[in-house]
Amino acid sequence: MPSLAPPPSVSIVMPCFNAGQHLPRSLASVLAQSLADWELIVVDDGSTDGSTHWLAQQTEPRLRVLQRPHQGASAARNIGIEHARGEYIAFLDADDTWAPDFLQRLRAALLDRPAAVLAYCGWQKFGVPAAEAKPFVPPDYETPDKRKLLFAACRWPIHAALARRAPLLQCGGFPAQLQNAEDYALWLELATRGPIVRVPEVLAHYHFHGSGQASAQRARAALQLLDAQHAYLARHPDFARSLGPDRRRIPCQGLLRAGFEAYWARDLPAARTLFRRALRAGYGRPAQWRYMLPALLPLRLHAALLALRARSSETRPD
C-alpha cells in the first residue's frame, strides 16, 4: 500500500464568501510564503459570485476546498479547524494578505517557546487614509497583568497570529453567534491558558475595500465585543471577582470609546446606540454627558443639535 503523506506543519484556514475578486491576491500571498510546509483549507461558505468556479480551477496540491451552505465566517473557520492536520493553525481571510516570511517567523517563535500556545505580530491597514495606515505592533502581553490587559483588548487581527492546534481545539473554536469580536473571544480564551509570544514585526496586511466589511459596523462590533467580555466573565468567575470595580469599568470604557469614535466620524446612528447603552450602565463623566445625553432625544432633534454645534468650535472631551 502507498504510504500516506505526512501532515503539514501549518494548516491555513480561509473562509470565503463572495470574495472572488480578492482570492487571487490572497492565494498569491500564501504561495509566496518562505515556509512551504503548509496546507490551505478554503471553506467556501455558500459563495454565489464565481468564487466556487475559480477555486475549482486551481491546481495547487496543497489547497483543499470545502463547500458548505452559508452560515458565516465563524462557523466556516470552525469547519476548517476540524479538517486541519497541521500542528499549527493560522487564519487568513479571503481578502487579506501576509508578508512572505509570516509563517516562518511566527512558527520559529513558537518553536523557541515550546510552552507557548500562540504567537502574534504587527499589522498594517491598506486602502484607508494615510492617517489610519500606520504600521502597528501590539505590546508584549506576557506580563503579570496579561489576563486583565487582554480582557480589555487583544490588539491583533485574526490573521496576525499562529496558534498551536491542540490548545486551540480545547478552546472550542470560534463562537458562531458572533459576527464581530469572534477572534477576540478565541484569542482571549486561548492566550490566558498558556504563554504567548510577540513577534515585533509587521507581517500581516488588512485590506480595506468598502463599508460592507465587518469592521465597518461600529455599533455591532462594540456591542458584540461587550457580549464576548460578559461571556468570558461568566465562564471565569474567579477572574471576574479578581477585577473588582474593573469588572464594570473595562467593558464600559471600551463601549464609550467606540461611541466617541463613531461620534467624531459623524456616524450618528452608531454613536447613539453606544451612548444609550453606556448611559443605561450608568457610565460616563460629566464632561462627556453633553455628547452622550442628546442620544436620548429623537434622531431629528439630535441631528439638529449637532448642526448647531458645528457652527461653533466644538472640542473633544478628555
Side-chain angles (χ1 to χ4, degrees):
M1 295 179 59
S3 60
L4 295 176
S9 175
V10 177
S11 294
I12 304 163
V13 174
M14 177 184 290
C16 173
F17 176 66
N18 291 346
Q21 67 182 110
H22 309 294
L23 270 170
R25 180 182 62 197
S26 295
L27 178 58
S29 169
V30 175
L31 293 172
Q33 291 298 300
S34 56
L35 175 69
D37 187 14
W38 51 260
E39 66 175 352
L40 173 60
I41 303 170
V42 177
V43 183
D44 184 0
D45 191 35
S47 295
T48 59
D49 69 338
S51 297
T52 304
H53 177 69
W54 187 87
L55 288 166
Q57 293 180 316
Q58 304 310 303
T59 59
E60 168 57 53
R62 294 168 292 179
L63 169 64
R64 286 195 286 155
V65 180
L66 307 176
Q67 294 181 339
R68 42 165 284 131
H70 180 62
Q71 294 185 28
S74 291
R77 293 187 189 108
N78 288 338
I79 291 291
I81 293 172
E82 291 176 10
H83 287 80
R85 298 181 299 138
E87 180 181 357
Y88 307 96
I89 298 183
F91 300 95
L92 181 66
D93 284 351
D95 53 357
D96 292 325
T97 59
W98 287 325
D101 54 346
F102 171 85
L103 290 178
Q104 184 172 349
R105 295 288 293 114
L106 269 67
R107 190 187 70 158
L110 289 175
L111 288 172
D112 287 343
R113 295 280 301 276
V117 296
L118 176 141
Y120 64 98
C121 68
W123 56 289
Q124 185 173 10
K125 292 181 181 179
F126 290 86
V128 295
E132 302 176 32
K134 296 179 181 178
F136 177 74
V137 176
D140 187 350
Y141 287 104
E142 196 55 50
T143 70
D145 291 328
K146 177 177 75 170
R147 202 174 187 185
K148 183 176 178 180
L149 292 171
L150 289 175
F151 178 71
C154 295
R155 300 176 66 191
W156 63 84
I158 192 166
H159 64 300
L162 181 68
R164 293 190 192 272
R165 181 173 180 267
L168 187 67
L169 288 173
Q170 293 170 4
C171 292
F174 294 91
Q177 74 275 16
L178 296 180
Q179 295 172 290
N180 295 90
E182 74 280 8
D183 51 340
Y184 161 89
L186 181 58
W187 297 150
L188 177 61
E189 192 67 49
L190 177 63
T192 54
R193 291 187 177 207
I196 61 176
V197 57
R198 180 180 72 144
V199 177
E201 302 174 40
V202 176
L203 301 172
H205 307 145
Y206 174 79
H207 296 269
F208 187 85
H209 49 78
S211 59
Q213 287 171 278
S215 59
Q217 308 299 323
R218 289 188 178 94
R220 186 181 72 184
L223 292 175
Q224 292 202 352
L225 173 61
L226 187 68
D227 289 342
Q229 289 172 319
H230 287 165
Y232 185 81
L233 292 176
R235 289 194 306 272
H236 301 278
D238 58 330
F239 173 66
R241 287 190 295 270
S242 74
L243 284 176
D246 285 338
R247 175 179 180 173
R248 172 178 170 272
R249 182 189 65 81
I250 291 175
C252 286
Q253 194 173 55
L255 187 71
L256 197 53
R257 184 185 306 113
F260 275 107
E261 288 174 357
Y263 179 88
W264 293 112
R266 289 303 184 250
D267 183 352
L268 191 56
R272 284 169 57 84
T273 297
L274 298 175
F275 283 163
R276 287 182 174 191
R277 183 64 178 268
L279 286 167
R280 285 203 303 270
Y283 193 77
R285 302 190 308 272
Q288 298 167 324
W289 291 344
R290 63 175 293 219
Y291 301 92
M292 298 170 64
L293 289 173
L296 302 176
L297 297 171
L299 177 60
R300 179 177 58 83
L301 292 179
H302 194 175
L305 180 61
L306 279 182
L308 180 64
R309 285 181 175 175
R311 300 189 187 102
S312 63
S313 56
E314 188 173 28
T315 58
R316 303 188 184 196
D318 294 332

